[in-house]
Amino acid sequence: MFRIGEFSRIAQVSGRLLRFYDELGLLRPALTDPQTGYRYYSAEQLPQLNRILVLKELGLSLEQIARLVERDTSADELRGMLALRKAQIEQALADDLARLRRVESRLRQIETHGQVQEPDVVLKSVPALSFLAVGDVLADMGAVRTLVQQIVTRAPMPDGIIAVVGHAHVYEPDALDVEVGYVLTGKAPATLRVSDERVLTLRQLPAVETLATLVHVGRLDDVHQTYALLGAWLEQHGYAIGGDARELVMQLPNAAETVVIEIQLPVRWGAERAGR
Amino acid sequence: MFRIGEFSRIAQVSGRLLRFYDELGLLRPALTDPQTGYRYYSAEQLPQLNRILVLKELGLSLEQIARLVERDTSADELRGMLALRKAQIEQALADDLARLRRVESRLRQIETHGQVQEPDVVLKSVPALSFLAVGDVLADMGAVRTLVQQIVTRAPMPDGIIAVVGHAHVYEPDALDVEVGYVLTGKAPATLRVSDERVLTLRQLPAVETLATLVHVGRLDDVHQTYALLGAWLEQHGYAIGGDARELVMQLPNAAETVVIEIQLPVRWGAERAGR
DNA sequence: TTGCTCCTCACGTCACGTGAGGTGGC
DNA sequence: TTGCTCCTCACGTCACGTGAGGTGGC
């Protein structure tokens, strides 16, 4: 019989761990003195503890280990747990590899360009959204801006956020195929009149698994610079564009001509730099 | 200005997260109504939040992020954090790879051999230890057993654990070059007399970085089976033996002839299956 | 007036580490 | 008797999630 200190020294674990496992019922000492509360462990408990430690190193939770250790478990249950764990580890590896690439990318940038910072591209997934909008083919960005102004002044919707969706099948600078309107959560009218020629009608923006987003803060005329940053980031990180661009207008041009627009691009893994 | 719900929906984060970051001072709302406590966020705060989210995805702690965001940080400090993070991720990757191999190994064993379980080999590192022992070259295991019996009966040390260290430079079955004695923590006598011919003297067991251990429970005669299991495990996991074997005797033969012995083998990475 | 949104506590998570304050054993 | 060991609380960790119970805004 070993007292807790000796047993913990042999097993190279803390006394606190042994007390904790006692409390959980995971490894009860062979004997506990009812007077003093002293715990006494037998030599045979060392392999029991080792089994727990091994399962823990595999990354199983103490709750899972308790199931495996207390009642003797079927091979099936053990296989199930290990298969689950395998999938979790593989996921963790993939995530950490992606993380490592991003950290290294930022480090390289500090080395080569100094303080210039990478754009803060955030990946999101979004559900399908109600979109009360009108589609049109417009001559240039100025026309888009005019249309937005028209909508917010003549058909205001305080709960909606102005969005511009660009259908850029083929990029034709003189013919922007866009939809402009409000993204809405909750109940939405079927139509909303802007002028005699223009009526917003309710449609759906499809759900997107992976949306790469970058926020533009500055002049509306400079939004293409942010697009360029986002595009470069995507290329560098092995993503390819996989759908229509969306622009969420969070702040319309103010007195200082400053806008805040979140650019959203649906993306998928490109072929050249597969990461998983 | 956006209320917290709208802002959280746009940014795809929970309201709780925004309140938490407010509390930490990491991202204070542009305006808080002193009457109602309502938080109002400005459009410009979206890129600020995104910056936080990006740094979080790199795996930095909120405390580190706070340092980077609150006061504007030098490139050096950022580089330091990222370099640290890089090392951590690389370590995590190595650990997870090793874990994955072990999980897969156990899964394969269930598939091929059913319930037969792998031995619970535990890796430890130990400091240098005081070893009050006598060295000898003995004819066979029986002689070792006799010597151990002699020591525990004629020179008992309640605080010591009996250990046998085997110097197996060349394996000669008829000439076992061993040291037998007590492993001690704390103060130890310089010598201890067992008989006229045998005196235990104090020496040091060197510290070992990586010790592969496996506990044998059963007959003393069967201890070689446990050695075989440990040896097979080492080979399978790419370790090579790197020092003298130690046997910690946790329980001497009892009425049922059962012993409990922890076998300890110093190991190092073998050449054929490097894991890092 | 009725929902919907927002507010502030406060507990729970996971596996222990780290004291605080007090007692047992040789 | 003096150290050393052991005991039982109980808080802290990290980044929020999840209610509970109550109020503000259109």
Side-chain angles (χ1 to χ4, degrees):
Chain A
M1 289 304 215
F2 303 90
R3 293 200 303 187
I4 197 167
E6 203 171 9
F7 195 69
S8 75
R9 236 174 291 119
I10 292 169
Q12 303 271 305
V13 298
S14 71
R16 172 66 169 116
L17 178 144
L18 291 173
R19 292 192 191 96
F20 185 55
Y21 288 0
D22 179 11
E23 190 186 330
L24 294 184
L26 198 51
L27 184 73
R28 291 262 157 75
L31 185 80
T32 303
D33 187 318
Q35 309 302 322
T36 64
Y38 273 40
R39 294 171 177 81
Y40 294 93
Y41 291 87
S42 70
E44 282 90 354
Q45 295 194 291
L46 183 60
Q48 292 177 30
L49 175 58
N50 281 350
R51 178 141 185 76
I52 294 169
L53 296 179
V54 164
L55 293 172
K56 191 154 66 93
E57 273 174 24
L58 296 181
L60 299 183
S61 71
L62 295 188
E63 197 182 331
Q64 291 178 308
I65 294 172
R67 276 210 293 283
L68 292 177
V69 169
E70 283 166 17
R71 57 204 84 166
D72 53 347
T73 321
S74 68
D76 258 9
E77 186 169 358
L78 179 58
R79 178 168 48 215
M81 281 190 197
L82 291 179
L84 175 62
R85 193 75 257 280
K86 179 169 179 313
Q88 290 172 339
I89 297 171
E90 285 168 347
Q91 184 61 52
L93 281 170
D95 291 352
D96 268 352
L97 269 174
R99 229 185 301 279
L100 183 60
R101 280 198 300 268
R102 271 181 273 135
V103 169
E104 285 174 338
S105 169
R106 298 224 161 206
L107 273 172
R108 272 197 306 275
Q109 203 173 33
I110 292 175
E111 299 304 334
T112 56
H113 304 302
Q115 188 64 293
V116 186
Q117 71 186 25
E118 289 209 5
D120 294 320
V121 177
V122 172
L123 301 176
K124 304 176 181 177
S125 58
V126 292
L129 294 167
S130 297
F131 189 33
L132 188 63
V134 61
D136 205 340
V137 177
L138 300 175
D140 54 25
M141 290 300 293
V144 175
R145 180 174 178 169
T146 305
L147 178 51
V148 168
Q149 282 295 350
Q150 228 178 68
I151 291 173
V152 295
T153 52
R154 301 201 194 157
M157 286 229 53
D159 286 0
I161 293 179
I162 287 286
V164 178
V165 176
H167 301 285
H169 318 287
V170 181
Y171 182 63
E172 298 176 56
D174 296 344
L176 304 172
D177 182 2
V178 296
E179 289 179 286
V180 181
Y182 293 109
V183 172
L184 297 167
T185 59
K187 60 196 178 327
T191 61
L192 184 63
R193 173 165 303 275
V194 177
S195 66
D196 286 345
E197 311 95 71
R198 294 210 205 270
V199 175
L200 307 185
T201 59
L202 194 60
R203 53 201 80 187
Q204 287 278 109
L205 285 177
V208 179
E209 183 87 19
T210 313
L211 207 54
T213 73
L214 182 58
V215 179
H216 172 75
V217 180
R219 296 175 54 83
L220 183 57
D221 301 331
D222 296 338
V223 75
H224 67 276
Q225 293 177 1
T226 304
Y227 265 100
L229 284 174
L230 179 54
W233 188 95
L234 293 179
E235 187 172 5
Q236 216 201 340
H237 290 78
Y239 289 99
I241 296 172
D244 294 335
R246 304 174 180 186
E247 298 179 359
L248 278 195
V249 181
M250 300 201 48
Q251 190 186 283
L252 291 164
N254 59 13
E257 285 289 306
T258 299
V259 299
V260 178
I261 294 175
E262 177 171 280
I263 301 170
Q264 304 183 328
L265 284 178
V267 296
R268 50 186 163 69
W269 272 101
E272 68 278 29
R273 271 179 77 136
R276 289 169 67 174
Chain B
M1 289 303 216
F2 303 90
R3 293 200 303 186
I4 197 168
E6 205 173 6
F7 195 69
S8 75
R9 237 175 290 120
I10 293 169
Q12 302 272 307
V13 298
S14 71
R16 174 65 170 117
L17 180 143
L18 291 173
R19 292 194 191 95
F20 184 54
Y21 288 179
D22 179 12
E23 189 186 329
L24 294 184
L26 198 51
L27 183 73
R28 291 262 158 76
L31 185 79
T32 303
D33 186 319
Q35 309 301 325
T36 65
Y38 273 38
R39 294 170 177 81
Y40 294 92
Y41 292 87
S42 70
E44 282 89 354
Q45 296 195 288
L46 184 59
Q48 292 177 30
L49 175 58
N50 281 351
R51 177 139 185 81
I52 294 170
L53 295 179
V54 164
L55 293 171
K56 189 154 68 93
E57 273 174 24
L58 297 181
L60 299 184
S61 70
L62 295 188
E63 197 183 331
Q64 290 178 308
I65 294 171
R67 276 209 296 280
L68 293 178
V69 169
E70 282 165 18
R71 57 205 83 163
D72 52 347
T73 321
S74 69
D76 257 10
E77 185 168 0
L78 179 59
R79 179 168 46 217
M81 281 191 197
L82 291 178
L84 175 62
R85 194 73 256 282
K86 179 171 185 294
Q88 289 172 339
I89 297 173
E90 284 167 346
Q91 185 61 52
L93 280 171
D95 291 351
D96 267 352
L97 268 175
R99 227 186 302 279
L100 183 61
R101 279 200 300 269
R102 272 182 272 135
V103 169
E104 285 174 339
S105 169
R106 299 226 160 204
L107 273 171
R108 272 197 306 276
Q109 203 173 33
I110 292 175
E111 299 303 334
T112 56
H113 306 303
Q115 190 62 295
V116 185
Q117 69 185 28
E118 289 208 5
D120 294 320
V121 177
V122 172
L123 302 176
K124 303 176 180 176
S125 58
V126 292
L129 293 167
S130 297
F131 189 32
L132 188 62
V134 60
D136 205 341
V137 176
L138 300 175
D140 54 25
M141 288 302 292
V144 175
R145 181 175 176 166
T146 304
L147 176 53
V148 168
Q149 281 297 349
Q150 228 179 68
I151 292 173
V152 294
T153 53
R154 300 201 195 157
M157 283 230 56
D159 285 358
I161 293 180
I162 286 286
V164 179
V165 175
H167 300 286
H169 317 288
V170 180
Y171 182 62
E172 299 175 54
D174 296 343
L176 304 172
D177 182 1
V178 296
E179 289 179 284
V180 182
Y182 294 108
V183 172
L184 297 167
T185 58
K187 60 199 178 323
T191 61
L192 183 64
R193 172 165 303 275
V194 177
S195 68
D196 286 348
E197 311 96 69
R198 294 210 204 270
V199 175
L200 307 184
T201 59
L202 194 60
R203 52 201 81 186
Q204 288 279 109
L205 285 177
V208 179
E209 182 89 19
T210 313
L211 207 53
T213 72
L214 182 58
V215 178
H216 173 74
V217 181
R219 295 174 54 81
L220 183 57
D221 300 332
D222 296 338
V223 74
H224 67 276
Q225 294 176 2
T226 304
Y227 265 101
L229 283 174
L230 180 54
W233 188 96
L234 293 180
E235 188 171 3
Q236 217 201 337
H237 290 78
Y239 289 99
I241 296 173
D244 295 334
R246 303 173 181 187
E247 298 179 1
L248 278 195
V249 181
M250 300 202 48
Q251 189 186 284
L252 290 163
N254 58 11
E257 286 288 309
T258 299
V259 299
V260 178
I261 293 174
E262 177 170 279
I263 301 170
Q264 303 183 328
L265 285 177
V267 296
R268 48 185 165 70
W269 272 102
E272 68 277 26
R273 271 178 78 135
R276 289 170 64 173

